[in-house]
Amino acid sequence: MGSFQPHLEKLKNLMHINDVQLALISDRMLQDMSIGLQKSTKSSVRMEMLPSYVDCLPDGSERGAYIGLDLGGTNLRVLLLTLTDPIDGGAKFDATIKSESYKLPKEKMEGTSAELFDFIAANMGDFAIKNGLEGKMLPVGFTFSFPFDQDRIDHAILKQWTKAFNIKDGVGEDVVQMLRDAIARQGNLKCEVVAVCNDTVGTLVSGVAEDPNCQIGLIVGTGTNAAYLEKVSNIESVSGYKDDRFMCVDMEWEYFADTGALNNFVTEFDKQVDATSPMPGEFIFEKMISGMYMGEIVRLILCQLASVGNIFTEKCLGDLRTTGGFDSRYVSDITEEAIAGHGETDVVTSILASVGVKASHGDVHTVQLVCEFVSIRAAHLCAAGISAIARKIKANHPEQNDLVVTAGVDGSVYAGHPTFDTLLEDKTDELCRNHGVKVRFIRAKDGSGKGAALIAAGMYRNRK
Ligand code: BGC
């Protein structure tokens, strides 16, 4: 590795955000959260701080069968959640889940909204047939992983398509109505869409079913975002609730840095990722963290190292020359091998071979380090955000010393990357240390779809 060590050192420094800087980022996010909750000041920040109208969390008394729909970054998941009397005789339901995942074809992500919603309804139909649910009237909770405005729980005006969705229409329309229309067009489905939520809100609610202390929902997958429980009296746009109530707020934190909050940390690689992305200038925070971009950042760094002769001496870059030529999954797989600590390089060598790169032993080590720097930065930025949320929650509970709050987390990066969870947890601990609050992380597997079904169950409970 000898001669290119200084180069790696430089790269490490470039990607490193130190604790003082992370604490300042946390401060800035905390400030933006409060500003974003006020109607009069909201326009000076980019985070949306959207009220979800989810103010009633599962209490264990729910029973019955509910459909959860989860339209995520790359898949549609349909699930049947059945809540029955517990066999242990306790008060909290026993829950069983049957689910199917349907890969979203690229053309459905780039066609019309009617085509996308017809695809959802068709797969709900397939799911109903497979599970003997045809003709059954079931309440549906719909997780829609995009920003939308709400004035009630079953009404959601789409603000923007995000991630890799490049659909030309639908913005400004009610996604619940679009789903209801598609279900009607489908013909033989009987179900009632009773609630819609962002995936972070769904994850929070499903976290509550695991741990009643769950107050944060976090997604680190194709995209990233977080939701938390806020005092209704702090959400200026919501009225008609008692002041002591709490409501899930969907922060839409992927927009956080779009006002320049991270300008000092945005590297030339982030700028290139941004420039070639479908939405340049937007989602800067997400682009530094989430799975849609992690592999791309690594690819760009490797290309630059190659161009100055620090890696891949044969100048054979294969697919690495092409935008999107290095999947974020590889970052996880390479890190997995690197942390095993046996000095093995089979995985990284074969990944590089699969993208057409012939690498020397030294190159392989460099690739491992680049993946590490990119992963650490992503997890630490996320920790800065989570620590801001923890501090906001703490401010709402000044009477509680040493508050512990639980965060339910889901998403392909959190679930699939071998060190992301520990990096996130450790850094959040450090950033919260002097603020009288600690965050406990739990994996909310299938969280968002299950959460939507639980919200539907709560609606049904309230209607009875
Ligand atoms: C979307 C959010 C979503 C997040 C995680 C972002 O790109 O805008 O609404 O919660 O991804 O899926």
Side-chain angles (χ1 to χ4, degrees):
M1 215 172 61
S3 62
F4 56 76
Q5 186 70 36
H7 224 94
L8 279 175
E9 203 54 44
K10 205 170 140 205
L11 184 67
K12 185 177 179 182
N13 291 337
L14 184 72
M15 300 300 285
H16 181 66
I17 306 181
N18 68 36
D19 287 355
V20 174
Q21 294 165 328
L22 287 170
L24 288 172
I25 295 169
S26 173
D27 288 350
R28 173 69 184 266
M29 184 170 290
L30 183 60
Q31 193 185 20
D32 283 11
M33 288 170 78
S34 295
I35 297 174
L37 286 168
Q38 300 302 313
K39 270 198 273 186
S40 51
T41 51
K42 193 177 170 40
S43 60
S44 61
V45 295
R46 273 301 278 121
M47 274 195 311
E48 296 282 354
M49 306 302 288
L50 302 166
S52 67
Y53 292 82
V54 174
D55 67 325
C56 116
L57 298 169
D59 64 6
S61 69
E62 298 82 0
R63 299 288 183 272
Y66 303 90
I67 298 288
L69 272 188
D70 184 1
L71 183 72
T74 49
N75 285 305
L76 167 73
R77 206 167 174 78
V78 187
L79 62 84
L80 172 68
L81 173 73
T82 310
L83 305 172
T84 50
D85 288 335
I87 41 172
D88 67 4
K92 188 188 159 195
F93 52 64
D94 278 347
T96 53
I97 290 185
K98 284 186 185 166
S99 71
E100 285 292 328
S101 223
Y102 303 91
K103 177 115 195 79
L104 274 164
K106 197 169 183 293
E107 68 272 15
K108 301 289 176 210
M109 295 161 80
E110 295 179 346
T112 64
S113 53
E115 283 163 0
L116 175 66
F117 281 89
D118 281 340
F119 171 81
I120 298 174
N123 287 304
M124 287 173 78
D126 170 78
F127 183 81
I129 293 171
K130 282 190 180 140
N131 291 282
L133 300 172
E134 286 164 291
K136 286 201 179 142
M137 174 62 91
L138 291 178
V140 177
F142 177 31
T143 296
F144 186 66
S145 309
F146 300 91
F148 48 82
D149 274 322
Q150 289 188 271
D151 54 7
R152 55 174 204 266
I153 200 158
D154 65 344
H155 189 232
I157 303 297
L158 177 61
K159 293 176 83 74
Q160 185 173 11
W161 292 106
T162 61
K163 293 172 272 211
F165 286 70
N166 191 12
I167 291 178
K168 301 289 176 291
D169 65 332
V171 172
E173 288 179 45
D174 175 15
V175 297
V176 175
Q177 195 53 50
M178 288 195 259
L179 177 60
R180 285 179 179 147
D181 291 346
I183 290 174
R185 284 195 294 274
Q186 208 271 347
N188 52 6
L189 269 178
K190 271 198 175 169
C191 49
E192 190 192 356
V193 186
V194 295
V196 61
C197 64
N198 182 262
D199 50 355
T200 54
V201 173
T203 301
L204 194 167
V205 172
S206 109
V208 172
E210 304 297 318
D211 175 352
N213 194 28
C214 184
Q215 300 188 51
I216 301 173
L218 168 68
I219 298 283
V220 194
T222 309
T224 181
N225 183 16
Y228 73 106
L229 279 186
E230 179 58 272
K231 253 186 183 168
V232 170
S233 56
N234 287 341
I235 315 172
E236 208 191 340
S237 58
V238 170
S239 55
Y241 285 80
K242 286 202 185 123
D243 275 3
D244 61 348
R245 302 278 308 186
F246 282 78
M247 182 181 281
C248 300
V249 168
D250 164 17
M251 293 172 61
E252 295 294 333
W253 82 4
E254 69 278 13
Y255 294 110
F256 162 64
D258 294 0
T259 43
L262 295 182
N263 280 2
N264 291 341
F265 310 105
V266 168
T267 65
E268 61 199 280
F269 310 110
D270 300 308
K271 286 185 186 150
Q272 285 180 64
V273 166
D274 182 46
T276 54
S277 73
M279 285 151 290
E282 290 188 279
F283 310 109
I284 305 301
F285 195 52
E286 177 164 279
K287 285 169 182 165
M288 293 167 88
I289 295 176
S290 80
M292 189 160 154
Y293 308 98
M294 207 179 247
E296 185 62 5
I297 301 175
V298 169
R299 182 188 78 80
L300 289 167
I301 296 175
L302 295 180
C303 284
Q304 201 216 50
L305 290 177
S307 76
V308 293
N310 287 115
I311 193 173
F312 310 140
T313 43
E314 292 182 17
K315 288 275 186 282
C316 163
L317 275 172
D319 292 350
L320 290 186
R321 287 185 202 286
T322 322
T323 306
F326 196 78
D327 202 293
S328 293
R329 231 176 343 118
Y330 299 153
V331 181
S332 297
D333 295 346
I334 290 170
T335 309
E336 178 101 56
E337 179 176 67
I339 59 165
H342 306 306
E344 304 270 336
T345 54
D346 293 356
V347 172
V348 58
T349 308
S350 76
I351 286 175
L352 290 172
S354 76
V355 294
V357 176
K358 196 159 177 290
S360 70
H361 188 74
D363 295 343
V364 155
H365 186 62
T366 300
V367 173
Q368 287 173 333
L369 286 173
V370 171
C371 289
E372 184 185 323
F373 302 155
V374 172
S375 306
I376 292 177
R377 189 186 67 160
H380 286 182
L381 282 172
C382 207
I386 290 294
S387 66
I389 302 177
R391 291 162 64 194
K392 185 82 178 73
I393 294 173
K394 167 72 184 157
N396 287 336
H397 299 277
E399 72 292 352
Q400 290 189 38
N401 295 324
D402 300 325
L403 181 70
V404 181
V405 295
T406 300
V409 198
D410 203 5
S412 51
V413 173
Y414 187 81
H417 188 291
T419 54
F420 194 93
D421 55 353
T422 315
L423 288 166
L424 169 64
E425 201 166 326
D426 291 352
K427 193 51 75 182
T428 305
D429 258 0
E430 287 174 34
L431 293 170
C432 286
R433 192 160 294 149
N434 297 324
H435 298 282
V437 60
K438 183 179 165 53
V439 181
R440 175 178 170 256
F441 291 87
I442 57 170
R443 167 92 201 277
K445 194 171 175 297
D446 286 335
S448 38
K450 182 179 168 193
L454 282 168
I455 293 168
M459 296 301 297
Y460 197 67
R461 180 187 76 202
N462 286 351
R463 278 185 193 183
K464 277 196 287 195

